[in-house]
Amino acid sequence: MVSAAQFLRRGVRSISAGALGLVYPPTCAGCGAATADPHALCPRCWSSLRLIEQPYCPHLGTPFPVDLGLGLLLSPRAIADPPVFGRARAVALYDDVARDLVHRLKYEDRLDLAAPMARMMASAGAELLREADCLVPVPLHWTRLWRRRFNQAALLGRGIGRIASLPCETSLLTRVKATRSQVGLSRAARATNLQGAFRVPASAKPRLQGRRVLLIDDVTTTGSTANAASRVLLRGGAASVDVLTFALVAAEAG
């Protein structure tokens, strides 16, 4: 039964939300056009979002252009270079709308986008979330965190954790090496750049033992970051590591 105080608080929140809607009308998270609901995508942006749906590679989550009806198939890249992690899933291909959302969250301080992006990630990664014990955001080195003031992966992880009722563990993995930007680097150069970048603190190892970890990040490009982080988590005692991101750069998808 709702108490009078709870009813009053809900009423105040409703009035406040309505007042804010009059001053700041809801706009599309993708292009800024007017929408009916805050943080929603307008029909044009939603139709332009290249959502990843089956069939896709069970390991890398890379979508196949056609369904051959042959059951589970591995992508050529997963066969030639198997990932350290078990499975990866993403909401959409890193193209147009998805790229704009990621850039606005990360570089334009649009922290309000973390909530709707987390909802989409929770839906895309529902299978992984059901089997996970905790979420671990890919950490930033303290110097980059100081400059940016927030870790977008941690924002997404906390939002997903609230939806899935899973703990978001930000202290199980740390970034101890200030790597150069990965933008423009080849897959091999990215892997070299990330050598020794991550560590499981000694104080965190008891809490990591035997847990099924879901690694959270905004974008998967070559998988080098996910591989480096997963390798350290597994060596630190994790039972398994899967990966969930908002967007996926997938050359194989065409």
Side-chain angles (χ1 to χ4, degrees):
M1 189 175 189
V2 180
S3 67
Q6 289 174 318
F7 183 80
L8 180 60
R9 282 195 295 270
R10 291 180 184 178
V12 170
R13 282 197 296 267
S14 178
I15 293 171
S16 299
L20 285 173
L22 292 174
V23 180
Y24 303 105
T27 57
C28 172
C31 67
T35 57
D37 302 310
H39 312 309
L41 292 175
C42 68
R44 179 176 175 276
C45 285
W46 181 256
S47 62
S48 300
L49 193 64
R50 296 180 64 188
L51 297 174
I52 296 174
E53 300 175 332
Q54 292 193 23
Y56 48 67
C57 173
H59 287 333
L60 297 179
T62 308
F64 295 122
V66 295
D67 187 354
L68 299 177
L70 300 177
L72 292 178
L73 293 175
L74 296 181
S75 66
R77 189 174 135 207
I79 296 172
D81 186 18
V84 176
F85 49 85
R87 299 166 294 176
R89 299 289 183 269
V91 173
L93 294 178
Y94 188 65
D95 186 26
D96 298 331
V97 176
R99 182 182 59 243
D100 289 345
L101 289 171
V102 169
H103 278 219
R104 285 174 181 169
L105 171 63
K106 186 186 295 188
Y107 302 119
E108 298 179 15
D109 290 353
R110 286 292 308 274
L111 307 190
D112 57 302
L113 297 180
M117 291 170 70
R119 285 196 297 270
M120 287 187 273
M121 290 172 69
S123 178
E127 175 189 4
L128 306 186
L129 287 166
R130 284 194 295 269
E131 300 175 19
D133 295 317
C134 64
L135 311 177
V136 174
V138 171
L140 295 177
H141 189 263
W142 72 266
T143 55
R144 186 165 295 176
L145 181 60
W146 181 80
R147 290 195 300 269
R148 190 174 294 169
R149 304 186 314 280
F150 65 91
N151 178 2
Q152 71 280 356
L155 290 177
L156 294 169
R158 293 188 185 101
I160 297 167
R162 284 190 290 270
I163 294 168
S165 298
L166 286 171
C168 180
E169 303 278 11
T170 58
S171 61
L172 292 184
L173 185 68
T174 60
R175 197 163 193 147
V176 295
K177 177 183 172 184
T179 55
R180 59 179 290 198
S181 172
Q182 297 275 78
V183 177
L185 298 182
S186 66
R187 180 177 289 110
R190 284 170 179 261
T192 300
N193 187 41
L194 288 163
Q195 287 181 358
F198 299 107
R199 180 181 301 163
V200 174
S203 60
K205 285 186 177 180
R207 292 188 291 112
L208 181 61
Q209 301 306 303
R211 298 178 84 179
R212 297 167 296 181
V213 171
L214 183 55
L215 191 68
I216 304 295
D217 207 355
D218 54 351
V219 180
T220 296
T221 306
T222 65
S224 298
T225 299
N227 276 329
S230 298
R231 185 176 292 111
V232 170
L233 287 166
L234 290 168
R235 288 175 179 171
S240 63
V241 180
D242 292 322
V243 179
L244 178 60
T245 61
F246 180 77
L248 170 68
V249 176
E252 292 175 352

